[in-house]
Amino acid sequence: MAPVPLWPQDRIMVVFSRIQPHPHSRCTSGHPMYIHPFGGRWNKQHESLEKLNMQAILDATISQAEPIQELLINHGKIPTLVEELIAVEMWKQKVFPVLCRLEDFKPQNTFPIYMVVHHEASIINLLETVFFHKEVCESADDKVLDLVDYCHRKLILLVARKGGGDLSEEEQFQDSTPMQELQKQAEMMEFEISLKALSVLRYITDCVDSLSLSTLNRMLRTHNLPCLLVELLEHSPWSRRVGGKLQHFESGRWQTVAPSEQQKLNKLDGQVWIALYNLLLSPEARARYCLTSFAKGQLLKLQAFLTDTLLDQLPNLADLKGFLAHLSLAETQPPKKDLVLEQIPEIWDRLERENKGKWQAIAKHQLQHVFSLSEKDLRQQAQRWAETYRLDVLEAVAPERPRCGYCNAEASKRCSRCQNVWYCCRECQVKHWEKHGKTCVLAAQGDRAK
């Protein structure tokens, strides 16, 4: 039997109508604050996005009609999501580090901060789910320029990461304070967000023939995305070796690849190859891309990757192989110096300009009025979280069995009090209680309050 929808259509419309652009609020010192987490409106926005995100995933999982995608297009919400995405990205970069350095910042519970950090992941996950459809990309209008810039920033982070010698999940969280654990979780989430941004960028390249001239110039000239994608293939940050075993990052965790499967094309590698194919072989993109000597040198590195095994899995890459063979004999072009009037992304620059020099004041204001919650406030918020993150829904959309909250092994036992965390054995539950206890009590109180 197919899973039932999370919410009936009329309730989806109510949830959907709450997704609105944030107004510019101001703190008591008069500083503009675009991101103001855990105000009443922000809470409703976050909860609505989470519900829409889960519904979109469930629709895609069971291959049924996708009303969320149609609603986002018909009501012009894609630009709003892009602006929200970049605003929370700026909060993470400009406010969160300052907040962590404040002497008075000693939160009793880090989960409220985690929810703000998680907000970006929710939005990019929703965009990844719906951007599979070309009409969604077209509905982004001018904000696709901002989204391309956002994806470029995330790809730069992936290239800088270069994968390799990461610690296992168990080692990362051993003997950590709550704040250290939060920061490590934020780093791991940033990695996952960057991988989803790669998928969104690939879906944008599927529409390359219908993109504006400004967007094409941004992708091919300003950011030189083909060369950046070559760097990603070379470093493959979603692959690593631990104890001599190859691991790929899939379904939200590192998984060991059996020797017989190591020649199989990884999903993320496939996204890079498809994006390269779109950017290099599309007539519109080829007309705009300047093949300088540097670009030629970078692109010819792809020849070493185009093995018969890869071509068997992605036959269309035979055309790319032919393009590279022709490129190796072609003359390079000097950089073009055309005088072109074009649009530029404006969200990041506008937010940075409006808040320049005020990040410290914003962090102090949020410490006093947002993240210093009383026990009563935490209980009320725990009730809202329990209503938003319905366990039956999360299990329906989960790609695999739950993982132990302490050691990350497959788990079969759930915490009997809060029902939110899973464990593989009693010993792990006891060891994890020191960190899990406060959140567990709050969540359980929230459930009883319902």
Side-chain angles (χ1 to χ4, degrees), residues 37-40 43 47 108-109 111-112 115 366-386 438 441-443 445-446 449:
F38 281 87
N43 274 326
E47 292 160 9
Q108 295 180 352
N109 192 298
F111 197 70
M115 295 308 300
Q366 292 185 350
L367 173 61
Q368 295 173 6
H369 301 281
V370 180
F371 293 119
S372 298
L373 299 178
S374 65
E375 285 290 322
K376 180 181 178 181
D377 292 334
L378 283 172
R379 290 193 192 99
Q380 291 176 345
Q381 193 56 51
Q383 180 179 348
R384 297 183 69 96
W385 291 330
K438 290 183 179 180
V441 172
L442 287 169
Q445 289 172 341

Side-chain angles (χ1 to χ4, degrees), residues 102-108 367:
L102 294 178
E103 292 183 3
D104 298 335
F105 186 58
K106 298 175 182 178
Q108 295 180 352
L367 173 61

Side-chain angles (χ1 to χ4, degrees), residues 131-134 137-138 144 147-148 151-152 155 197-211 215-216 218-220 224-226 229 270-286:
F131 255 73
F132 175 79
H133 306 275
K134 290 186 177 182
C137 181
E138 294 168 357
V144 74
L147 187 56
V148 166
C151 293
H152 176 257
L155 264 58
L198 170 61
S199 296
V200 171
L201 181 66
R202 175 252 145 146
Y203 293 137
I204 292 175
T205 66
D206 286 344
C207 309
V208 70
D209 289 332
S210 59
L211 294 175
T215 305
L216 279 177
R218 197 79 181 171
M219 296 170 70
L220 299 171
N224 200 349
L225 286 179
L229 292 170
Q271 297 282 43
V272 177
W273 281 113
I274 294 172
L276 280 167
Y277 180 91
N278 292 335
L279 290 174
L280 295 176
L281 296 186
S282 164
E284 289 292 328
R286 288 180 67 175

